Amino acid sequence: MATTDGRATRRRVDARTNVERITAAGRTVLGRGEASLDQIATEAGVGIATLYRHFPNREAIVRAVLEDILETDLLPLIEQAADSPHTRQALQDIATRLLDLITEERGLVTFAGNFADVAVEVLQRFSASLHPLLVRAQQADEIRPDLTAEDIPHFLVMAVAGLALPGATPSLRARFIALLFDSLNPANATPLPPLLIEENDLRTSLGNVART
């Protein structure tokens, strides 16, 4: 007879397996374009009730898919960039790759009504990984000194909102990513307006929530 601990362990394994299957199915289905929760559940081989137990809404699916994209496809690029002699170009390459990845999941941006909020929350978790690159680029006078690692997710999502659209070709995305990164050049830049205390507290709170 299975022990209580054994049954609990099995439930945790089953739950983790279902989460992984649903996340993978989300990437597959969203990659086709328009999607529904029923389609994702079918692709994952689970019932809709099981999907809702782990992912109560569309935003939860998008969050899981984005985390999977960043962990499997973008984080290795960030780690490789640590040794790059051209840090601003490395950051620009990371932003371009992020756009390519999100564009490949054609239904990702439109699947959740508040994609930008979810994307900023997920990207905030990678701020610590981007921080050393940002500091090196600033020390080399390649990026303005008043930009912070916490600003990067908002900057990237701004690019995603404008460029991860149907019909935006890779060359078009690369062109405008280059233009956006030129805006981070410190030459002749005006100082960034200060962040209001209450807004800074809110952003810190969001960052702490994202890290828990």
Side-chain angles (χ1 to χ4, degrees), residues 92-111:
Q92 190 169 318
D93 290 343
I94 289 167
T96 301
R97 181 59 180 147
L98 174 65
L99 267 174
D100 289 343
L101 289 166
I102 289 177
T103 304
E104 287 167 12
E105 316 293 331
R106 291 178 294 167
L108 188 62
V109 175
T110 57
F111 188 65

Side-chain angles (χ1 to χ4, degrees), residues 1 4 22 27 38 73 82 129 138-139 152 165 174 176 197:
M1 178 180 293
T4 301
I22 294 168
R27 286 196 69 168
D38 284 320
D73 298 286
S129 298
Q138 288 170 327
Q139 290 172 341
I152 296 296
L165 299 171
F176 281 92
I197 293 175

Side-chain angles (χ1 to χ4, degrees), residues 56-114:
N57 50 47
R58 290 177 170 230
E59 286 72 24
I61 293 281
V62 169
R63 187 178 295 108
V65 170
L66 270 176
E67 287 173 351
D68 186 57
I69 289 171
L70 295 176
E71 287 283 354
T72 60
D73 298 286
L74 201 68
L75 192 56
L77 188 60
I78 294 174
E79 292 169 348
Q80 292 168 17
D83 298 322
S84 172
H86 307 292
T87 39
R88 178 183 142 164
Q89 185 60 52
L91 285 168
Q92 190 169 318
D93 290 343
I94 289 167
T96 301
R97 181 59 180 147
L98 174 65
L99 267 174
D100 289 343
L101 289 166
I102 289 177
T103 304
E104 287 167 12
E105 316 293 331
R106 291 178 294 167
L108 188 62
V109 175
T110 57
F111 188 65
N114 60 341

